[in-house]
Amino acid sequence: MKLIGLLGGVGWETTAIYYRLLNEYTQRELGGYHSARILIHSLDFGDIEGHRRAGNWDEIGRILCEAAGTLKAGGAEFIVLATNTMHRIADRISAASDLELLHIADPVGAKLRTDGFTKVALLGTRHTMESDFYPVVLETRYGLSVITPEPDERAEVQRIISDELNHGIIRAGSEYFVGELVKKLHARGAEAVILGCSHITTIIPPECDVIPVYDTTRLHARAAVKRALEIGHD
């Protein structure tokens, strides 16, 4: 079993979810008392968020690359970045650490293609929705067309994530907004919705089951376990 380097803390709640899922999927594959081999470097989200708000991605990159280097030094054999948004600098992190980084868009794209979809919607932080790290992978490697909400809708999703969901707050008005947004994306031709933020999964209302939703955190963690155990992806 390979040693997984989990680069987390952005934020710690999501990192905890990854830790649980990595162990659950490992036990599901191996049975008994087996658990995942994981080396974790958890960052201070306050530092990262401050630089994000200031638009200082060079400094964010420096911090994440330094952390990835400690995972390499500790014996990690590949990296799992426990966040969607920071994948915008995934190539830089991988190059700096000289380790493979299991890109979150790959297991998502593989699953969507296997399930027969061609046009999908992406929800997440504004940086995730406005960056190209998902579209580039999904379009070039998996033949998927990606759409996102309109600019004002992206801004409201960001506000909900930053001001509410990041603090464990779920408001009925925000849940309604996200539900209606999913319906709009469906009307624009989306056949499925990518939940590109772990917090978004807590606010998707039950009536959204008219369109399939894909939890990137679960798909990413499952792919990491398969990579660690060197078994085929599905």
Side-chain angles (χ1 to χ4, degrees):
M1 185 190 310
K2 292 184 180 297
L3 178 61
I4 301 169
L6 186 62
L7 184 49
V10 193
W12 68 262
E13 301 95 337
T14 302
T15 307
I17 293 170
Y18 266 90
Y19 182 76
R20 174 176 56 81
L21 289 173
L22 290 169
N23 283 293
E24 287 179 352
Y25 288 138
T26 299
Q27 188 171 66
R28 186 179 302 176
E29 292 290 344
L30 300 180
Y33 293 100
H34 288 288
S35 57
R37 296 181 62 233
I38 308 170
L39 179 64
I40 304 176
H41 187 127
S42 188
L43 296 160
D44 180 356
F45 186 44
D47 292 340
I48 298 294
E49 181 62 7
H51 291 303
R52 186 197 67 78
R53 289 181 182 274
N56 190 357
W57 282 91
D58 283 342
E59 184 61 16
I60 291 173
R62 185 195 66 77
I63 293 170
L64 267 67
C65 287
E66 182 178 278
T70 68
L71 293 174
K72 168 76 171 181
E77 295 171 85
F78 67 99
I79 293 175
V80 173
L81 184 53
T83 166
N84 281 268
T85 301
M86 297 304 152
H87 275 78
R88 66 179 291 175
I89 54 175
D91 290 344
R92 180 176 170 185
I93 295 169
S94 181
S97 64
D98 194 30
L99 282 176
E100 173 198 357
L101 188 148
L102 182 61
H103 200 290
I104 196 167
D106 279 312
V108 175
K111 180 62 174 170
L112 286 164
R113 185 173 64 181
T114 296
D115 290 350
F117 297 113
T118 58
K119 187 173 184 178
V120 298
L122 174 63
L123 288 180
T125 66
R126 187 169 60 190
H127 287 292
T128 292
M129 292 185 286
E130 295 178 356
S131 297
D132 65 359
F133 66 84
Y134 262 112
V136 165
V137 173
L138 297 181
E139 291 172 6
T140 60
R141 299 180 190 173
Y142 302 98
L144 296 164
S145 174
V146 182
I147 64 172
T148 59
E150 299 297 334
D152 60 326
E153 296 168 336
R154 296 197 296 267
E156 178 60 9
V157 172
Q158 177 64 49
R159 186 200 66 77
I160 291 170
I161 293 171
S162 296
D163 298 347
E164 299 174 15
L165 301 183
N166 279 348
H167 303 285
I169 300 168
I170 299 178
R171 294 197 168 102
S174 297
E175 186 178 56
Y176 177 79
F177 172 82
V178 172
E180 290 301 300
L181 181 55
V182 170
K183 292 176 184 177
K184 288 181 183 179
L185 293 166
H186 187 33
R188 287 174 53 193
E191 302 161 333
V193 176
I194 298 169
L195 304 182
C197 171
S198 60
H199 293 301
I200 287 284
T201 61
T202 65
I203 203 173
I204 295 293
E207 58 267 25
C208 285
D209 63 2
V210 295
I211 180 172
V213 295
Y214 286 76
D215 182 345
T216 60
T217 301
R218 287 186 171 275
L219 290 169
H220 197 203
R222 188 171 184 225
V225 168
K226 289 183 176 293
R227 175 74 179 82
L229 298 178
E230 298 186 316
I231 56 181
H233 295 271
D234 55 23

